[in-house]
């Protein structure tokens, strides 16, 4: 048992692994923030049904939602430099690997969140928009001031779940050579020939942070009164 598992190795490896956690947070924060913004924009474009652009977005969303995230990351890592070089003459060989990872996760979040926001916008009664227009607001003002705040509130539960999923999905970034906490665990395992302790630490960190995010999401839902509303709705449907 001593050869297979050692608490001493756990204590020694913990600080070596935790220092790579900021890389994971960087990916999550940027991808989620930009993904939310793009998701809202995409949702409004879809609802407007703009010619050509809507069809392009449908293809994009189908690809993002229909393929594994790992495949998307590999396509972005190996394919984007070729596209940039062929179409724009941009040499991206000097770019950091983390840049391609963040682009991948941002686009993935944009696709998934756009459908969450789209459903939330549709759930807002049409009369709200009509009343805003009748009060003299422009269509853009009605969307930004009246529809969007309500839609965001409705979308909070599903958006929160997307954030938790995004954090857990960052465990894949080591597949393209980004040394995050999982990549560091692999390196330590190769260096010491003891992998169990490092991966146990990684599992612990992911569980703790995921539970914390789940708790924050539940707290926000309660503060917004969404939990009670959802329970009342479920009870009515039964």
């Amino acid at each position: 048992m001593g050869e297979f598992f050692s608490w001493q190795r756990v204590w020694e490896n913990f600080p070596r692994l935790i220092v790579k956690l900021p890389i994971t947070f960087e990916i999550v924060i940027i991808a989620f923030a930009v993904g939310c913004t793009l998701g809202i924009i995409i949702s409004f474009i879809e609802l407007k049904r703009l010619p050509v652009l809507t069809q392009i977005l449908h293809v994009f969303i189908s690809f993002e939602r229909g393929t594994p995230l790992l495949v998307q990351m590999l396509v972005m890592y190996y394919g984007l430099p070729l596209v940039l070089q062929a179409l724009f003459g941009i040499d991206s060989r000097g770019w950091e690997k983390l840049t391609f990872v963040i682009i991948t996760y941002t686009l993935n979040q944009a696709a998934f969140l756009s459908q969450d926001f789209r459903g939330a916008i549709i759930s807002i009664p049409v009369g709200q928009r009509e009343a805003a227009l009748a009060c003299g607001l422009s269509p853009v003002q009605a969307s930004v001031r009246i529809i969007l705040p309500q839609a965001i509130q409705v979308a909070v539960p599903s958006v929160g779940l997307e954030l938790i999923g995004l954090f857990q999905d960052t465990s894949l970034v080591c597949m393209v050579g980004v040394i995050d906490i999982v990549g560091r665990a692999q390196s330590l395992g190769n260096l010491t020939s003891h992998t169990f302790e490092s991966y146990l630490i990684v599992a612990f960190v992911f569980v703790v942070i995921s539970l914390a995010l789940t708790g924050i999401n539940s707290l926000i839902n309660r503060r917004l009164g969404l939990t009670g509303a959802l329970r009342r709705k479920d009870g009515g449907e039964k």
Side-chain angles (χ1 to χ4, degrees):
M1 181 66 179
E3 285 298 320
F4 177 71
F5 177 80
S6 169
W7 282 109
Q8 182 179 353
R9 287 195 291 267
V10 172
W11 309 135
E12 291 176 351
N13 290 345
F14 187 83
R16 299 173 183 173
L17 293 172
I18 208 69
V19 295
K20 294 298 181 178
L21 197 55
I23 296 178
T24 299
F25 289 150
E26 180 181 356
I27 296 170
V28 170
I29 292 172
I30 296 177
F32 186 71
V34 180
C36 275
T37 304
L38 292 177
I40 292 173
I41 295 173
I42 291 172
S43 65
F44 276 108
I45 293 176
E46 281 193 296
L47 292 173
K48 288 292 183 180
R49 298 181 180 178
L50 300 177
V52 181
L53 185 56
T54 300
Q55 283 70 32
I56 294 175
L57 288 176
H58 283 170
V59 174
F60 163 71
I61 293 171
S62 296
F63 173 79
E64 294 290 332
R65 292 168 65 90
T67 57
L69 184 55
L70 177 58
V71 172
Q72 297 170 24
M73 188 162 54
L74 293 174
V75 169
M76 184 64 64
Y77 183 70
Y78 292 106
L80 183 59
L82 298 178
V83 173
L84 292 176
Q85 182 67 44
L87 297 182
F88 307 104
I90 298 176
D91 186 2
S92 60
R93 288 176 296 180
W95 291 11
E96 293 185 6
K97 296 175 181 179
L98 185 60
T99 301
F100 296 99
V101 167
I102 291 176
I103 292 174
T104 301
Y105 281 77
T106 298
L107 294 178
N108 181 267
Q109 284 294 291
F112 278 87
L113 290 172
S114 68
Q115 301 310 290
D116 293 333
F117 288 122
R118 181 174 177 271
I121 293 172
I122 292 175
S123 70
I124 307 301
V126 179
Q128 300 257 355
R129 181 181 179 83
E130 294 175 348
L133 296 176
C135 290
L137 295 180
S138 68
V140 174
Q141 290 175 326
S143 297
V144 174
R145 296 184 182 181
I146 306 299
I147 304 301
L148 185 57
Q150 297 181 75
I152 291 176
Q153 182 173 340
V154 172
V156 162
S158 56
V159 170
L161 293 177
E162 293 290 353
L163 175 60
I164 297 170
L166 169 63
F167 170 71
Q168 295 174 350
D169 286 341
T170 57
S171 60
L172 297 172
V173 302
C174 62
M175 299 301 293
V176 293
V178 174
I179 306 300
D180 66 331
I181 187 171
V182 178
R184 182 59 173 164
Q186 286 183 337
S187 300
L188 286 176
N190 295 332
L191 183 64
T192 64
S193 299
H194 293 284
T195 58
F196 181 70
E197 292 87 354
S198 295
Y199 284 121
L200 185 64
I201 295 170
V202 171
F204 174 77
V205 170
F206 270 84
V207 167
V208 170
I209 296 178
S210 294
L211 289 176
L213 292 175
T214 300
I216 293 172
N217 188 40
S218 299
L219 178 61
I220 294 175
N221 292 340
R222 287 196 298 271
R223 289 292 180 87
L224 294 176
L226 295 175
T227 302
L230 290 174
R231 287 177 179 172
R232 288 193 296 272
K233 180 179 178 181
D234 293 340
E237 290 176 351
K238 293 179 181 178

